[in-house]
Amino acid sequence: IFILIPKNLKWIMVRWRKSLWGRNLFISNMKNNLLNQPFDFLNWDGTRIIPKHVVIETVFGCNASCVMCVINHPTPRKKRVMSRELFLKIVDSLQSHKDNIEMFDFIGLGEPLLDPFLTERIRYVKGKGFRNLAISTNADILDKKRQKELLDTGIETIIFSIDGVNKETHENIRK
């Protein structure tokens, strides 16, 4: 999951979230310039980049069809939940870097509450020593039982998407 820097690398693209829409950073002449750049979202140990912020999308799919969202646009990606095996492999590969990772988000285009293993995954990540865990949800399927399960995981941040300041606007956006 960290980025190895081959000797012949001339440039790299790193994606990180600075806003709701995300942002791309192009680093040119990586080997010569990286140490001189103020990239506070990266940890550089001389041979590899270790992220400070991990974003993992365990679900590609959503229960809503918001007018501004691209999740239902044509894509070769299949709507599905990430396998347990892949999830464990990713988290386990990052564990030795947990002290350098400042945030671990279960956020992507998908609705995390559609993941039947979400609370199990959060507990696993917490148990591995990661900190500042977060999800972002539309909360449409968040019932009392799921609320308690989520809070009992020890997750630090739950972001609720609100698509309008009144009921009419919200319902026109989230169809």
Side-chain angles (χ1 to χ4, degrees):
I1 296 305
F2 48 83
I3 303 169
L4 295 176
I5 307 299
K7 290 180 181 178
N8 62 352
L9 183 70
K10 299 294 184 203
W11 62 272
I12 188 170
M13 182 178 91
V14 178
R15 181 173 171 90
W16 86 99
R17 290 184 167 232
K18 273 293 204 195
S19 69
L20 178 65
W21 309 112
R23 189 169 170 190
N24 290 324
L25 169 69
F26 293 90
I27 303 170
S28 61
N29 299 317
M30 171 65 90
K31 285 180 64 177
N32 299 328
N33 294 329
L34 186 62
L35 294 176
N36 299 322
Q37 302 296 327
F39 301 131
D40 63 347
F41 63 95
L42 299 174
N43 291 310
W44 173 253
D45 72 359
T47 59
R48 60 188 172 190
I49 297 171
I50 302 164
K52 285 186 176 183
H53 186 178
V54 173
V55 178
I56 187 166
E57 179 181 78
T58 64
V59 173
F60 184 68
C62 191
N63 56 305
S65 295
C66 301
V67 296
M68 72 291 204
C69 186
V70 298
I71 197 163
N72 291 318
H73 291 194
T75 177
R77 291 180 69 188
K78 294 180 180 173
K79 304 280 197 292
R80 63 181 169 195
V81 175
M82 179 185 287
S83 72
R84 286 178 173 176
E85 296 77 22
L86 178 58
F87 178 80
L88 296 175
K89 182 178 179 180
I90 293 168
V91 174
D92 291 346
S93 73
L94 291 169
Q95 186 180 9
S96 63
H97 307 291
K98 71 178 176 0
D99 294 334
N100 296 348
I101 297 171
E102 298 171 3
M103 298 177 76
F104 198 111
D105 294 345
F106 294 81
I107 297 171
L109 282 176
E111 168 54 48
L113 295 180
L114 292 176
D115 181 350
F117 313 112
L118 180 63
T119 55
E120 174 187 321
R121 295 182 204 259
I122 294 169
R123 282 191 192 96
Y124 186 79
V125 172
K126 278 297 255 189
K128 292 290 184 177
F130 291 93
R131 60 194 190 280
N132 298 319
L133 278 60
I135 66 167
S136 178
T137 177
N138 63 33
D140 286 347
I141 58 175
L142 185 62
D143 58 18
K144 294 271 186 199
K145 180 180 180 236
R146 197 72 187 261
Q147 288 173 24
K148 181 168 177 17
E149 289 173 353
L150 269 175
L151 292 175
D152 289 346
T153 66
I155 192 167
E156 288 88 354
T157 304
I158 301 174
I159 301 166
F160 297 97
S161 298
I162 300 171
D163 296 317
V165 295
N166 59 48
K167 182 179 180 183
E168 181 183 4
T169 301
H170 178 83
E171 289 175 353
N172 283 332
I173 291 172
R174 189 175 299 175
K175 303 193 181 220

